[in-house]
Amino acid sequence: DKEALEELKLLYDPLYWASKFLYADKGGYKPRRSNASVHELITTAREPIVADYGDLWLDFEKDLLADPEYPYQERFIYCTYPRVCLRAGRRVGKSNGVLPKLLQRMYTREGYRIVLLTKGLPQIETILDEEKGLLPEMIRGSKELMASVVKLITHPTPRFLLKNGSYLEAYVS
């Protein structure tokens, strides 16, 4: 049955879901390529470019050198671990890669809670700011997603709430 297959793909494939719902007014979501060169990403990183997914380690330097067009976003978007810690250098696409997965999980599961920890308040504002934030920009073109949003709270604890009870809370670590 084609409808059942479509529902399963929307439920279990974050990139497929994102291509249908995010940036709907701009032709759908596509993983963003970094503006920086691979050499620049590796040599200017202040911290090791490594993500820890429990037992799964990704080496961003190796991934960037192997495939500079789509560095690593797809690998952590499809990661199935319930808790993910992503630590990577500047301008490598962490927010743009993670948000589609987080939104898909929130939208397709009731009462789903996401805790987002960032290094500072500017990172939270970059993601959640009502006017210029990445998350509101992603969903703005989708009537279905916009209808599911209860509200975006910015103070005292930034929260993004959906009607199905799912929410994202952001904290500075």
Side-chain angles (χ1 to χ4, degrees):
D1 180 350
K2 287 184 180 182
E3 285 183 29
L5 180 60
E6 177 74 10
E7 284 183 34
L8 284 172
K9 283 171 75 174
L10 289 171
L11 186 61
Y12 291 104
D13 186 341
L15 285 180
Y16 182 76
W17 180 89
S19 72
K20 298 290 184 189
F21 288 99
L22 301 183
Y23 296 116
D25 56 342
K26 298 177 183 176
Y29 172 84
K30 293 168 189 66
R32 187 185 339 173
R33 289 169 166 84
S34 175
N35 296 332
S37 70
V38 174
H39 176 72
E40 183 183 356
L41 291 173
I42 293 170
T43 58
T44 61
R46 293 185 188 151
E47 300 169 350
I49 307 177
V50 174
D52 177 9
Y53 298 116
D55 298 324
L56 174 67
W57 280 84
L58 298 179
D59 182 341
F60 287 105
E61 285 189 35
K62 182 175 146 202
D63 289 345
L64 286 169
L65 290 171
D67 187 3
E69 291 297 319
Y70 276 101
Y72 51 84
Q73 287 180 345
E74 198 170 297
R75 289 184 69 189
F76 64 74
I77 288 172
Y78 285 119
C79 175
T80 58
Y81 286 94
R83 292 178 189 88
V84 175
C85 176
L86 180 64
R87 184 177 143 199
R90 297 183 51 199
R91 308 286 306 154
V92 294
K94 297 176 296 293
S95 298
N96 195 307
V98 170
L99 282 177
K101 178 179 182 165
L102 299 182
L103 287 168
Q104 184 254 1
R105 291 276 173 95
M106 290 173 64
Y107 187 75
T108 58
R109 292 158 176 82
E110 289 186 12
Y112 198 79
R113 178 181 181 221
I114 294 171
V115 177
L116 180 67
L117 298 175
T118 67
K119 223 175 186 178
L121 193 56
Q123 288 86 358
I124 293 173
E125 291 169 350
T126 298
I127 293 169
L128 293 177
D129 184 74
E130 289 182 70
E131 308 261 329
K132 297 178 265 179
L134 188 56
L135 189 143
E137 180 188 337
M138 284 182 166
I139 66 170
R140 200 169 281 131
S142 171
K143 292 178 185 173
E144 193 171 337
L145 284 179
M146 289 300 289
S148 71
V149 175
V150 173
K151 65 176 132 179
L152 175 60
I153 301 168
T154 53
H155 296 289
T157 301
R159 284 182 131 194
F160 179 72
L161 310 165
L162 295 182
K163 287 182 181 174
N164 69 1
S166 295
Y167 61 96
L168 178 148
E169 292 177 307
Y171 297 96
V172 175
S173 62

